[in-house]
Amino acid sequence: MKVLMINGSPRKGGNTSIALQEMEKTFLEEGVEVETVQIGNKDIRGCIACGTCASKGKCVFDDVVNELAPKFEEADGLVIASPVYYASANATLIACLDRLFYSTGFDKSMKVGASVAVARRGGCSATFDELNKYFTISGMPVASSQYWNSVHGRGPGEAAQDAEGLQTMRVLARNMAFLMKSIALGKEKYGMPKQEDEHMFTNFIR
Ligand SMILES: Cc1cc2nc3c(=O)[nH]c(=O)nc-3n(C[C@H](O)[C@H](O)[C@H](O)COP(=O)(O)O)c2cc1C
């Protein structure tokens, strides 16, 4: 059982890292392997809609996005965490996720997703909703916690004082571990849900 965690913050040891470390400790207690990749400090450009990924099976820009792809394919769950910038996820993380989800053709359904927003004060729930959209277009069940998944802090390290936020992270990791284990058992007993032969793309016009 393995979880990939993508940290969208550019700050090493920042508040997003504190939130993810709390999840990592809980995952390890639950026997779940964790790999965390911090991408917020990397030079990641956005998707240019060239469509090359459809023929090559990977993004035309050979950067960390193509390194994340096999890790995501192998993982049973994906955590995406972002510092809130102007009530939204940080731009580097969005560039990364747009390209990661769009360029990878493997089946993501029944991999469990969880998103985390970290802010000084405002914009957490808008960011949380924004990040969850990647999962819910991909057939990925979303793990939840006792509150919408947010942790508060401004300067690096302040999130360590947010007792409720950190508890929310521990409960989230425990719930996510339970979901991943339950889905693994469900796959053994019932198999994956039947897929339709043709995926309809009607663009609202026909
Ligand atoms: C460009 C920028 C925009 C920000 N916008 C917001 C915001 O909309 N709401 C908020 O509460 N905090 C905002 N912040 C503060 C960060 O979300 C906060 O410092 C957070 O803890 C950073 O996480 P990190 O330490 O993991 O990078 C912003 C910070 C930056 C650099």
Side-chain angles (χ1 to χ4, degrees), residues 7-19 38 81-88 90 117-124 127 151-159:
N7 180 352
S9 170
R11 294 208 286 207
K12 285 221 186 284
N15 292 317
T16 310
S17 296
I18 290 173
Q38 182 156 12
S82 185
V84 174
Y85 285 2
Y86 290 93
S88 170
N90 129 322
V118 178
R120 181 183 78 82
R121 180 165 287 269
C124 286
T127 303
V151 176
H152 290 273
R154 185 184 181 201
E158 280 184 4

Side-chain angles (χ1 to χ4, degrees), residues 57-110:
K58 61 177 189 171
C59 185
V60 70
F61 300 117
D62 205 15
D63 60 10
V64 70
V65 171
N66 287 343
E67 290 166 25
L68 285 169
K71 297 180 197 286
F72 181 18
E73 184 168 18
E74 201 199 315
D76 303 286
L78 177 69
V79 177
I80 51 183
S82 185
V84 174
Y85 285 2
Y86 290 93
S88 170
N90 129 322
T92 310
L93 180 64
I94 292 299
C96 174
L97 294 174
D98 282 355
R99 289 176 43 221
L100 178 64
F101 275 77
Y102 201 78
S103 66
T104 48
F106 58 81
D107 182 18
K108 299 169 185 69
S109 61
M110 298 305 139

